[in-house]
Amino acid sequence: MIMDGNGRWAKERGLLRVQGHNAGMEALRGVVEHTHQLGIRYLTVYAFSTENWKRPEEEVSGIFKLLVRYMASELERLHQNNVRINILGDWSAIPEDSRRAVEAALKKTKDNTGLVFNIAINYGGRAEILRAAKILARLSEKGLADLSSFTETDFSRLLYTEDMPDPDLIIRTGGDLRLSNFLTWQSAYSELVVTDCYWPDFTDEEYDQAIDQYLHRDRRFGGIKS
């Protein structure tokens, strides 16, 4: 999920951008619940990108405060539903109260076996690939990786999503036709659904329509259908 359009949703209503992010948090609660009900195994949401630091300080601060609020209000419910929270990105760089909230969520849900809920925080697809390349270089220097036989599958294990399948479907709200540095490696063959509705307005019905579009796609992965 690329959760776009919070700011535009707020502007159209004469509200502050952070109020749009607050409405987006409410939408996220519903999306996670619906994902759980549908039996989907993995959900990844783009919460804060490496580029989002360029936004006004007040907005950035507000986003991280909402992260703390979300964890405080939803963690117990997620845990009771057997959801495992996972973080993609360099979350060591986020504010201390947000780091504490993330640490508590990771610790509490680490043994859960249901929906894997990935939250991409201070995440960028290119940064993730560069990080993996540096890890590979260190392994090679130590004689722990043979570059001549290193495969795409081997490289995938160096990413934040090391033990997860690539996403089947990427949904972007807000109408923009781009991935915005989201899951750059993993999305090579993902199906894309873009909806004009802003993230705060993304309902179960919108979600179901996106999945229905996906189910009617002809996925050939570079081959031809037999």
Side-chain angles (χ1 to χ4, degrees), residues 118-217:
N118 295 316
I119 306 175
I121 302 173
N122 194 25
Y123 172 88
R126 289 182 175 181
E128 178 183 29
I129 294 170
L130 180 59
R131 170 182 172 271
K134 289 178 178 179
I135 293 172
L136 177 54
R138 290 196 294 270
L139 292 173
S140 179
E141 288 172 359
K142 296 176 181 178
L144 300 175
D146 181 2
L147 296 183
S148 65
S149 61
F150 209 77
T151 66
E152 290 184 7
T153 299
D154 295 328
F155 191 80
S156 293
R157 294 193 183 105
L158 303 179
L159 301 172
Y160 291 119
T161 52
E162 55 182 311
D163 58 349
M164 305 177 202
D166 290 339
D168 293 303
L169 171 63
I170 293 178
I171 301 170
R172 178 169 190 145
T173 59
D176 288 334
L177 302 175
R178 56 177 178 267
L179 287 175
S180 297
N181 204 16
F182 182 55
L183 299 178
T184 305
W185 174 278
Q186 299 90 333
S187 65
Y189 276 101
S190 301
E191 293 296 318
L192 307 177
V193 171
V194 176
T195 173
D196 288 331
C197 90
Y198 298 140
W199 177 252
D201 294 328
F202 191 75
T203 61
D204 291 352
E205 291 73 25
E206 288 277 353
Y207 198 171
D208 290 340
Q209 288 172 19
I211 291 174
D212 186 63
Q213 284 192 52
Y214 164 78
L215 291 173
H216 287 86
R217 300 282 176 87

